[in-house]
Amino acid sequence: MSSTRNRLVTALLALWTVLVLMLLYVPILSVVLASLANTRYMRFPHKVWTLDAYRDALGQYTTAELHLTSLKIAVLVALIAVLLGVFGALAFARFEWRGRSLYQRLLLLPIFFPQAVLGLALLLAMTAAGIAPSWRTAVFAHLVWVVPIVTLVISIRLYGFDVAQEEAAFDLGASRLQVFREVTLPALAPGIVSGGLFAFLLSWSNLPLSIYTTGSDTTLPLWLFSRTATNYSPLVPALAVIATGASVLVVVAAALALAGWRRLVARRSA
Amino acid sequence: MTTSGPILSLVGLTRRFGEIAAVDDIDLEILDGEFFTIVGPSGSGKSTLIRILAGLERVDSGAVLLRGRAITDVPANKRPTAMVFQSLALFNHKTVGENIEFAPKMRGVDPAARRARALELMDLVRLPEAYYARPVTRCSGGERQRVALARALASDPEILFFDEPLSAIDYRLRKMLEVELKDLHRETGKTFIYITHSLEEAMVMSDRIGIMRAGRLVQIGPPLEIYQQPRSRFVAEFMGEVNVLRASEFGVAGEGWLVVRPEQLRPLAPGEAADVVFEARIVNDYLLGSRKQFHARADERMLIGEIAVAAASVPGPGEPVRLGFDLGDAVRVAE
């Protein structure tokens, strides 16, 4: 009796899980399906299944240029955000100082602005300052929004960190720099990796800030948005799939690099 | 180098946090090779004091001398001392071996010599060689204690500081480690300065004990002297449960208090005499292995006594009893 009920509960739970997963992945799947058509209008199933859109996407110069622009911005954003995030997190969670709680609030404020408002504000400020918008200003705009998030991600590592470890290293003869390199940085490493990935992906996929701040340069999300609005063809979903693949590649590469580094460290110490 | 002189001298050492003096004008000399324990309740300033000695906390005034040379402003990484922290502060991302080799590595010792030294120390603190490559996060509580100890010893310190490292450890393991620490002190011949809130722990290990209260050392002496001749109520009560009685109530001239240990307050046989006698009633009793401790009420006064289980039949809870002690057994304290 009770085993029948258990089986029923298990079945319902499995059904629920599948439904939630479908909610998450069916829209993404529909992009893949749309990219395999040769018509501007989605009518499923397709009359003709084709990879023409991919051939076109890979054949034209725009694809590479869009990827390059987005990559350039995202890599710079990730690097700068991690650098600022590490020291920002130390100020956020490691040290007690006057004005810390004000700093904590001010730092997080940009996250609460709607990005469209933030983008407009940045554009107005830059115009007033006489700075021409380009991919470089987009880096700055993304940083305004991404740095608080990266700082938070790294701070979480610091909250679980026993500060006495730094004192112990100092007590055992390490210089301040050695303490940072030998103790603080390794403790922060997982936060730095996940913070960096966050920064990359948030920048890579950002539309609202880029709309205002890229000037004549075009990022992938920008191109996808404008082509969907004005001149749709299966090229759009094809490029979307390629761009998604690229970001997955970055995450996998980062995970492999991290695992490789860990193995190297382990072998060196063995 | 004289072996009998003080290795560490504290002169008028003071450290304030706002209005409160955590360390208040302390003078102290610690002898070379001594096991000195500072005992005090939380908030007495003992942690601040040991952090000053290690170079991790600055002073407001006063001086610290190492073999007569002032080291007051020398930072922790330049002092020939090492601390075992309360949290142990092991480097969680490193292995047992890497933890122990940290100080030699910072000093630029080559890997082979470092490793040899680490294995030697692991043997000294009774860690199996197989633990060398094990992450410290996979070690038990007792093993982590040993790693922390070996790591501190690896810097070849002249003085080892201990900031309550055993406070979070269960009773049996703590007892074992106390004895091992005392053995280690004898084997290495180094100066150990230990702080704890447990006088019992201090008694087991120390050559001398300093009792700390509100930033001051209120009594310093060998364990037995502190136990037998407390100089104040505070020290006496810190030793454990005692009876503190106003001296003037018992025909002793002058102000002050009589401290009577539980084992000195005995149930009297019919007709047996004592300098001070209470007609009391047992409230409760509990067994301490071979001895039994009891609480008794005499009028409004609560008394605590102790008796060997084998010695006599002690009245049970609720029964009347005559309790007595001799003035010669009581310790007189002024405050």
Side-chain angles (χ1 to χ4, degrees), chain B residues 196-222:
Chain B
T196 175
H197 60 267
S198 160
L199 195 61
E200 189 195 346
E201 196 173 311
M203 291 276 174
V204 175
M205 300 185 288
S206 321
D207 297 320
R208 277 196 306 159
I209 293 175
I211 310 279
M212 197 158 174
R213 179 192 194 185
R216 290 173 165 275
L217 286 170
V218 292
Q219 187 170 355
I220 300 168

Side-chain angles (χ1 to χ4, degrees), chain B residues 14-294:
Chain B
T14 300
R15 175 75 170 109
R16 283 192 191 81
F17 294 108
E19 290 294 292
I20 299 154
V23 173
D24 190 2
D25 195 23
I26 283 186
D27 293 299
L28 176 66
E29 290 202 329
I30 287 165
L31 305 177
D32 203 351
E34 188 175 28
F35 197 133
F36 191 94
T37 303
I38 298 160
V39 191
S42 55
S44 59
K46 58 189 192 301
S47 270
T48 306
L49 179 59
I50 204 165
R51 288 173 57 83
I52 289 172
L53 300 185
L56 293 167
E57 186 80 58
R58 62 176 187 82
V59 302
D60 288 316
S61 60
V64 182
L65 310 176
L66 181 74
R67 297 190 197 286
R69 198 169 52 85
I71 57 161
T72 321
D73 298 322
V74 177
N77 59 350
K78 299 279 196 300
R79 291 192 189 191
T81 60
M83 172 114 103
V84 177
F85 288 79
Q86 181 163 27
S87 67
L88 302 183
L90 296 181
F91 306 132
N92 285 328
H93 58 282
K94 293 180 188 282
T95 62
V96 169
E98 287 169 332
N99 264 275
I100 299 172
E101 289 175 23
F102 188 83
K105 186 180 171 189
M106 292 302 105
R107 235 184 283 147
V109 177
D110 72 88
R114 240 152 59 189
R115 187 192 161 98
R117 177 76 177 130
L119 291 173
E120 197 182 298
L121 286 167
M122 284 173 70
D123 186 49
L124 183 69
V125 300
R126 295 169 214 182
L127 267 176
E129 200 177 318
Y131 278 64
Y132 181 82
R134 186 171 296 195
V136 284
T137 45
R138 295 226 320 269
C139 291
S140 72
E143 288 156 7
R144 291 170 62 83
Q145 294 279 341
R146 291 162 209 269
V147 176
L149 200 54
R151 185 180 69 175
L153 284 167
S155 68
D156 286 321
E158 290 191 54
I159 304 175
L160 265 150
F161 298 114
F162 297 86
D163 183 4
E164 302 203 50
L166 301 183
S167 61
I169 292 228
D170 69 79
Y171 184 80
R172 275 178 60 118
L173 184 58
R174 194 172 72 226
K175 287 287 138 201
M176 202 168 93
L177 290 170
E178 282 170 8
V179 174
E180 284 187 24
L181 210 55
K182 192 176 179 176
D183 292 345
L184 192 73
H185 174 247
R186 202 173 39 238
E187 285 166 39
T188 59
K190 290 184 189 296
T191 306
F192 281 27
I193 301 180
Y194 194 100
I195 69 171
T196 175
H197 60 267
S198 160
L199 195 61
E200 189 195 346
E201 196 173 311
M203 291 276 174
V204 175
M205 300 185 288
S206 321
D207 297 320
R208 277 196 306 159
I209 293 175
I211 310 279
M212 197 158 174
R213 179 192 194 185
R216 290 173 165 275
L217 286 170
V218 292
Q219 187 170 355
I220 300 168
L224 200 61
E225 187 185 301
I226 300 238
Y227 184 79
Q228 290 177 337
Q229 295 153 30
R231 243 185 267 142
S232 63
R233 276 182 74 173
F234 177 79
V235 174
E237 283 172 345
F238 205 74
M239 300 287 308
E241 285 192 279
V242 290
N243 302 287
V244 178
L245 309 164
R246 193 177 286 280
S248 56
E249 283 183 55
F250 303 94
V252 181
E255 284 298 295
W257 306 85
L258 293 173
V259 175
V260 183
R261 304 212 157 280
E263 64 267 27
Q264 287 152 349
L265 187 72
R266 58 185 195 275
L268 300 175
E272 190 182 348
D275 291 351
V276 175
V277 176
F278 297 103
E279 296 296 339
R281 195 173 285 274
I282 304 282
V283 177
N284 57 39
D285 59 6
Y286 42 94
L287 202 59
L288 306 169
S290 63
R291 301 184 70 79
K292 193 181 225 177
Q293 211 165 59
F294 56 85

Side-chain angles (χ1 to χ4, degrees), chain A residues 14-138:
Chain A
L15 185 67
W16 173 248
T17 309
V18 168
L19 280 174
V20 171
L21 285 174
M22 276 174 67
L23 178 80
L24 294 175
Y25 286 100
V26 163
I28 294 172
L29 192 67
S30 69
V31 175
V32 177
L33 291 175
S35 72
L36 297 172
N38 65 349
T39 55
R40 294 184 53 180
Y41 305 102
M42 269 287 265
R43 202 174 289 129
F44 200 74
H46 305 316
K47 283 207 184 84
V48 182
W49 294 79
T50 172
L51 288 170
D52 283 357
Y54 286 93
R55 201 192 56 217
D56 290 349
L58 294 175
Q60 60 172 285
Y61 177 64
T62 325
T63 310
E65 198 183 53
L66 288 173
H67 275 83
L68 213 65
T69 308
S70 279
L71 192 72
K72 202 157 59 176
I73 296 174
V75 166
L76 272 174
V77 166
L79 288 178
I80 299 172
V82 162
L83 196 70
L84 292 175
V86 166
F87 296 105
L90 290 174
F92 194 95
R94 162 71 179 82
F95 295 103
E96 288 286 345
W97 48 287
R98 217 218 299 241
R100 181 169 88 154
S101 72
L102 181 68
Y103 160 76
Q104 287 176 336
R105 272 165 226 168
L106 283 179
L107 183 81
L108 297 182
L109 212 54
I111 307 180
F112 294 99
F113 274 95
Q115 285 188 64
V117 177
L118 193 62
L120 177 64
L122 283 161
L123 178 64
L124 291 174
M126 285 185 293
T127 313
I131 301 166
S134 70
W135 68 269
R136 293 181 190 82
T137 50

Side-chain angles (χ1 to χ4, degrees), chain A residues 140-181:
Chain A
F140 179 77
H142 288 187
L143 282 172
V144 171
W145 193 65
V146 166
V147 167
I149 296 169
V150 174
T151 307
L152 265 192
V153 169
I154 299 176
S155 292
I156 290 165
R157 291 290 308 176
L158 275 172
Y159 278 118
F161 174 65
D162 180 10
V163 176
Q165 285 185 43
E166 287 181 353
E167 289 193 328
F170 186 58
D171 185 51
L172 291 169
S175 67
R176 296 283 177 197
L177 191 68
Q178 282 172 321
V179 171
F180 185 72
R181 206 180 55 208

